[in-house]
Amino acid sequence: MSSHGAPIPMTSRACGALTGTAQVPGDKSISHRALILGAMCVGETTITGLLEGQDVLDTARAMRAFGAEVTDHGGGSWSVHGVGVGGFAEPDQVIDCGNSGTGVRLIMGCMATSPITATFTGDASLNSRPMARVTDPLALFGTQSVGRAGGRLPMTIVGAAEPVPARYVVPVPSAQVKSAVLLAGLNAPGQTVVIEAEATRDHTERMLAGFGAKITTEMTAEGRVITLTGQPELTAQHIDVPRDPSSAAFPVCAALIVPGSDVLVPNIGLNPTRAGLFTTLREMGADLTYENEREEGGEPVADLRARFSPDLKGIEVPAERAASMIDEYPVLSVVAAFANGRTHMPGVKELRVKESDRIDAMKVGLEANGITVEDGPDWWTVTGLGHGNVPGGATCASHLDHRIAMSFLVLGMATQKPVSVDDGGPIATSFPIFEPLMGALGAAITRNNG
Ligand SMILES: O=C(O)C1=C[C@@H](OP(=O)(O)O)[C@@H](O)[C@H](O)C1
Ligand SMILES: C=C(OP(=O)(O)O)C(=O)O
């Protein structure tokens, strides 16, 4: 099933060279945060380049339910009239975050230290994902929560009326957990401290500083120590959202495996906490270059140029790189199928608790298409067959997971026989223009029931 409606089966088949320019949408992580911080400050925040994917639209709706005025001006241009830190109203409806782990976890954090109660739910995928990783640290502030067994949604959060600040060592590499604690810390008096052993994406820290919060980061033997001073007055900002490296991954990887391809993907945010895939692809021998490298809004940005790469080789992907490419492993495993030799990917147990168990979803689908995959609790290995040798021919389950659906459609662009997915509907959560964008480059993706 797709998240919002009937399943949309799709098929991808071998095509001619992919050529042209791919303008991928705005960054999903930054889009959620722009809406949430816009809702937590006084005055009007303006946003351009917002990702209008379903995950982000669900966060916009949630911010309205907490009392912010959120307006869509068209073409990715939005404004948010915030209610100020501690100014959230109690929603009179259940908050439905759809398919979005980022949405629900960050929103739980930002309401957790206000004297209001809210109930959260999502689709079948989100309702099966772990939430105790967020409600455990929120309890340190005095927040209460009641959910289904195993800490699953639907879940009610009772915000702390008299919050105390927290000090929390994040036990899993998760920017969502880190961000939920920092957002909760905004309305607690004194200093909230979050410590992460492994650096994860730092958009929350950067944006909090941009909105005027007092926040510092120090590297210590324990890891990154982030200290936030609570109850600041946040000042409205203009946010120009950079284009999403996690979406850029799909046209880039497709170009590497389709003979003759040459694709430009402009204006991609290359924050080091997000760019691990591109480093990995280059180590595999990908013809992938950064053009026009520059800084925009304090973030490194470049135009990516990806060309067909006939001599890809399997590699060992360093475990310590995992956080910087966590959402890109599914499509990396597709590129690995066309490389020569084994690509070993350790340190990735977080992949098992995403929209689906991504190791399992890719293993089953890749094996059905003729590729050997081995896996353990926190690692997997793909044995590549080299260009022209991947059979294809199977239909893969997308498990309500956009990245799984898009990865298998990229696979089908270079296999001997077409590859299908049972449901491409979830693609709209993060990359609503995936089909026309890939089609304009020359890809052959069709809907099977239309
Ligand atoms: O903070 C964020 O915006 C995100 C953090 C990551 O999740 P985790 O925090 O669970 O690693 C990532 O997988 C997700 O797509 C977006
Ligand atoms: C894991 C992802 O998103 P989320 O956790 O926000 O659902 C993703 O977009 O790959």
Side-chain angles (χ1 to χ4, degrees):
M1 276 286 291
S2 78
S3 32
H4 294 86
I8 305 174
M10 292 184 188
T11 297
S12 171
R13 41 182 57 80
C15 50
L18 301 176
T19 55
T21 301
Q23 301 282 6
V24 303
D27 189 276
K28 177 160 72 70
S29 293
I30 295 177
S31 295
H32 282 295
R33 287 160 173 80
L35 291 169
I36 291 171
L37 286 182
M40 295 182 84
C41 70
V42 176
E44 186 179 75
T45 287
T46 53
I47 308 169
T48 47
L50 189 85
L51 167 64
E52 293 173 343
Q54 193 57 47
D55 278 11
V56 175
L57 298 178
D58 288 338
T59 289
R61 194 159 35 90
M63 290 301 99
R64 287 190 188 111
F66 284 102
E69 204 179 293
V70 183
T71 311
D72 173 4
H73 300 283
S77 178
W78 289 62
S79 61
V80 185
H81 252 286
V83 292
V85 169
F88 275 168
E90 185 164 276
D92 56 11
Q93 302 278 339
V94 170
I95 304 294
D96 186 347
C97 290
N99 190 248
S100 180
T102 309
V104 76
R105 293 186 177 123
L106 269 56
I107 297 167
M108 282 178 175
C110 72
M111 58 75 54
T113 46
S114 292
I116 55 174
T117 295
T119 298
F120 295 87
T121 192
D123 68 7
S125 159
L126 190 60
N127 288 0
S128 71
R129 293 175 70 182
M131 295 298 146
R133 53 176 52 202
V134 169
T135 53
D136 286 351
L138 293 184
L140 301 173
F141 292 93
T143 307
Q144 292 173 288
S145 59
V146 187
R148 283 194 305 128
R152 316 278 151 176
L153 303 178
M155 181 173 274
T156 295
I157 305 285
V158 183
E162 289 179 23
V164 291
R167 183 178 197 279
Y168 190 64
V169 181
V170 184
V172 286
S174 167
Q176 294 174 5
V177 174
K178 170 179 66 177
S179 301
V181 177
L182 290 172
L183 292 170
L186 276 177
N187 198 36
Q191 292 192 326
T192 286
V193 179
V194 185
I195 300 158
E196 55 176 8
E198 279 177 57
T200 63
R201 65 191 69 195
D202 61 359
H203 306 302
T204 302
E205 297 94 299
R206 285 176 189 247
M207 209 182 278
L208 276 169
F211 274 86
K214 193 169 163 221
I215 181 166
T216 58
T217 302
E218 253 188 297
M219 283 308 298
T220 70
E222 259 186 307
R224 290 178 78 236
V225 179
I226 305 153
T227 305
L228 173 76
T229 303
Q231 299 182 328
E233 177 137 338
L234 300 180
T235 317
Q237 297 295 305
H238 175 70
I239 309 275
D240 190 18
V241 180
R243 293 174 194 265
D244 197 327
S246 299
S247 296
F250 295 98
V252 162
C253 290
L256 301 180
I257 63 171
V258 175
S261 297
D262 184 350
V263 169
L264 187 70
V265 191
N267 303 320
I268 300 306
L270 289 177
N271 178 317
T273 62
R274 295 289 299 282
L277 172 75
F278 306 123
T279 306
T280 301
L281 292 172
R282 291 202 214 188
E283 287 175 5
M284 295 173 80
D287 185 350
L288 172 62
T289 51
Y290 295 171
E291 298 183 354
N292 195 13
E293 284 182 70
R294 58 207 186 270
E295 281 242 331
E296 275 177 22
E299 296 267 357
V301 171
D303 304 339
L304 304 184
R305 179 154 209 162
R307 297 186 182 88
F308 175 56
S309 302
D311 297 314
L312 293 169
K313 58 177 193 301
I315 63 161
E316 170 83 18
V317 183
E320 56 276 14
R321 195 180 289 158
S324 69
M325 52 180 288
I326 194 67
D327 293 341
E328 285 68 73
Y329 281 94
V331 74
L332 173 65
S333 73
V334 168
V335 175
F338 294 90
N340 293 301
R342 289 155 62 87
T343 295
H344 179 56
M345 297 167 277
V348 293
K349 66 172 183 301
E350 280 296 300
L351 290 180
R352 298 214 179 265
V353 290
K354 297 295 182 186
E355 284 82 330
S356 65
D357 176 338
R358 287 181 169 165
I359 297 177
D360 197 55
M362 290 308 299
K363 178 181 159 86
V364 170
L366 286 170
E367 286 181 343
N369 284 287
I371 296 293
T372 301
V373 180
E374 296 147 84
D375 73 319
D378 76 338
W379 62 269
W380 52 323
T381 301
V382 173
T383 302
L385 293 175
H387 281 293
N389 301 326
V390 182
T395 297
C396 307
S398 50
H399 299 283
L400 283 178
D401 189 331
H402 52 134
R403 303 215 191 270
I404 300 301
M406 289 187 279
S407 296
F408 285 124
L409 293 172
V410 169
L411 177 74
M413 292 175 200
T415 43
Q416 291 164 349
K417 291 190 197 141
V419 173
S420 298
V421 293
D422 64 345
D423 185 11
I427 293 170
T429 60
S430 70
F431 200 162
I433 59 167
F434 175 78
E435 282 172 273
L437 179 143
M438 294 306 305
L441 297 177
I445 299 174
T446 50
R447 293 190 177 208
N448 307 346
N449 58 354

